[in-house]
Amino acid sequence: MNYIIGAFKAPCDVFITFADERSRKQVAIKKDNGKTLMVPAFQSLETIAGEVSVAPVPGKRVEHQGVKIELLGQIELYHERGHFYDFTSLVRELEVAGEIYERKTYPFEFSTVEMPYESYNGTNVRLRYILKVTIGRPYATSVVECRDFCVRNYTPLPSINNSIKMEVGIEDCLHIEFEYSKSKYHLKDVIVGKIYFLLVRIKIKNMELEIRRRESTGSGPGTYIETETLAKFELMDGAPVRGESIPVRLFLTPYELTPTYRNINNKFNVKYYLNLVLVDEEDRRYFKQQEITMYRLQETPQS
């Protein structure tokens, strides 16, 4: 039995290391098994370099048809699990066909790599970046080793950031105006606004502000939409009166937000909404929803 197991065991161990791994920022990503893994973070147009080490099992040699490393950007839709769409694919040949008798190290470098999309792990879609080493073998399965890394791209402060002004109304019963100071928010921002009650003839029990994420994948009849409520913030508990105003101040830092993603490689979108919910004393619910734009702002080091 041990002989049979050994026949399928890889003849070598493969290790992939990044050149600046110790000094580079690490972020957590979620793996298929639900566990989190700390990986280095890069941004578009950075150089990705490092080393690949191949260590044969003691006493064995590795006959191969070549060693290569690929940098891949991939999108996986969960209803097509296991099928990856490659939007970035770069290859470096590390060695031509030959034999490896002892541990061997190969340097690699991908210069100023264009990585236009951020890493994302959603409900129905995953966008990931990996380094993939393949050792081709003539009469056996190739040896493959992958290493994940994360991409985060930053956006400067928008030059135009208009406020949001909207009205909620039920004829002759309710008239509310709400105003938010801006329509674009970075991931550590604060939502600041005010809600004005101009007409109140129904008994409002409470009012909440929700942050919702809507993820859509696919297109046409094959579109999948998932809406997730990320935060609920109680604005008011009790009945408002005409002329009253309620301040809004919601900090975004505690929530796991991503930037807004629009038409990523024609595969998916991720949008965010502020959803105002009013509940009357008969538990009827009234909604008003407004899309906001999320972006990642470059973090400034603490002095």
Side-chain angles (χ1 to χ4, degrees):
M1 180 61 73
N2 288 339
Y3 173 78
I4 294 173
I5 294 172
F8 292 98
K9 189 179 178 184
C12 59
D13 293 316
V14 180
F15 306 95
I16 305 169
T17 55
F18 294 92
D20 54 355
E21 193 160 342
R22 291 187 178 182
S23 59
R24 183 167 287 276
K25 181 180 178 179
Q26 305 279 311
V27 298
I29 64 169
K30 192 173 285 187
K31 299 293 288 178
D32 290 340
N33 57 11
K35 295 182 179 179
T36 55
L37 175 71
M38 299 302 293
V39 301
F42 293 85
Q43 62 188 78
S44 188
L45 301 181
E46 280 199 277
T47 292
I48 297 178
E51 291 183 341
V52 174
S53 293
V54 179
V57 173
K60 291 193 174 184
R61 64 185 174 89
V62 180
E63 185 181 353
H64 65 87
Q65 293 180 311
V67 181
K68 68 178 180 180
I69 184 168
E70 298 168 90
L71 189 155
L72 301 174
Q74 302 179 320
I75 295 173
E76 179 188 28
L77 303 177
Y78 288 159
H79 61 274
E80 300 176 3
R81 188 174 287 277
H83 181 77
F84 294 95
Y85 298 90
D86 292 350
F87 59 85
T88 293
S89 180
L90 302 171
V91 185
R92 298 287 183 270
E93 300 292 339
L94 301 179
E95 189 172 48
V96 297
E99 295 180 345
I100 302 174
Y101 294 92
E102 57 187 3
R103 188 185 187 100
K104 200 165 186 179
T105 299
Y106 308 93
F108 68 86
E109 181 177 297
F110 297 94
S111 299
T112 55
V113 183
E114 190 172 339
M115 298 175 285
Y117 310 129
E118 283 209 358
S119 301
Y120 176 71
N121 197 341
T123 306
N124 285 323
V125 61
R126 173 173 63 160
L127 189 152
R128 69 173 188 172
Y129 290 88
I130 60 169
L131 292 174
K132 178 181 177 182
V133 172
T134 304
I135 303 174
R137 296 199 289 159
Y139 307 111
T141 306
S142 296
V143 177
V144 177
E145 181 68 26
C146 295
R147 178 86 191 269
D148 289 271
F149 64 95
C150 179
V151 170
R152 288 186 168 177
N153 291 323
Y154 299 92
T155 303
L157 284 168
S159 55
I160 299 174
N161 198 348
N162 295 323
S163 62
I164 299 172
K165 293 183 180 180
M166 296 185 68
E167 294 184 1
V168 180
I170 302 170
E171 191 173 356
D172 296 330
C173 293
L174 182 70
H175 186 188
I176 298 173
E177 287 183 356
F178 61 92
E179 181 177 346
Y180 302 114
S181 60
K182 52 191 178 182
S183 54
K184 299 173 184 176
Y185 298 89
H186 63 78
L187 304 185
K188 308 294 183 185
D189 218 333
V190 183
I191 294 172
V192 177
K194 215 162 209 183
I195 297 169
Y196 303 92
F197 292 87
L198 305 179
L199 176 65
V200 185
R201 288 182 178 164
I202 56 176
K203 293 183 178 180
I204 301 296
K205 186 167 65 173
N206 60 27
M207 181 167 58
E208 294 176 338
L209 182 64
E210 300 175 338
I211 300 174
R212 290 187 170 187
R213 175 163 57 211
R214 182 180 297 166
E215 176 190 284
S216 61
T217 57
S219 59
T223 301
Y224 293 79
I225 296 177
E226 288 285 343
T227 301
E228 183 181 2
T229 300
L230 303 176
K232 280 187 178 182
F233 180 66
E234 187 173 72
L235 297 174
M236 182 195 70
D237 185 12
V241 296
R242 181 179 176 179
E244 189 174 357
S245 65
I246 305 287
V248 176
R249 193 171 183 84
L250 176 57
F251 291 84
L252 299 179
T253 303
Y255 307 111
E256 291 187 11
L257 305 173
T258 69
T260 296
Y261 301 133
R262 301 188 191 278
N263 198 25
I264 300 300
N265 208 50
N266 295 320
K267 290 289 184 284
F268 71 95
N269 295 273
V270 178
K271 296 179 181 180
Y272 287 88
Y273 297 86
L274 293 177
N275 191 43
L276 187 67
V277 183
L278 291 89
V279 183
D280 69 14
E281 290 192 339
E282 296 178 14
D283 284 330
R284 289 177 298 199
R285 300 169 73 85
Y286 308 92
F287 303 91
K288 191 69 175 182
Q289 192 164 261
Q290 171 66 40
E291 184 180 355
I292 57 173
T293 299
M294 302 298 303
Y295 64 96
R296 190 183 301 279
L297 184 66
Q298 182 76 58
E299 296 175 12
T300 54
Q302 297 294 319
S303 57

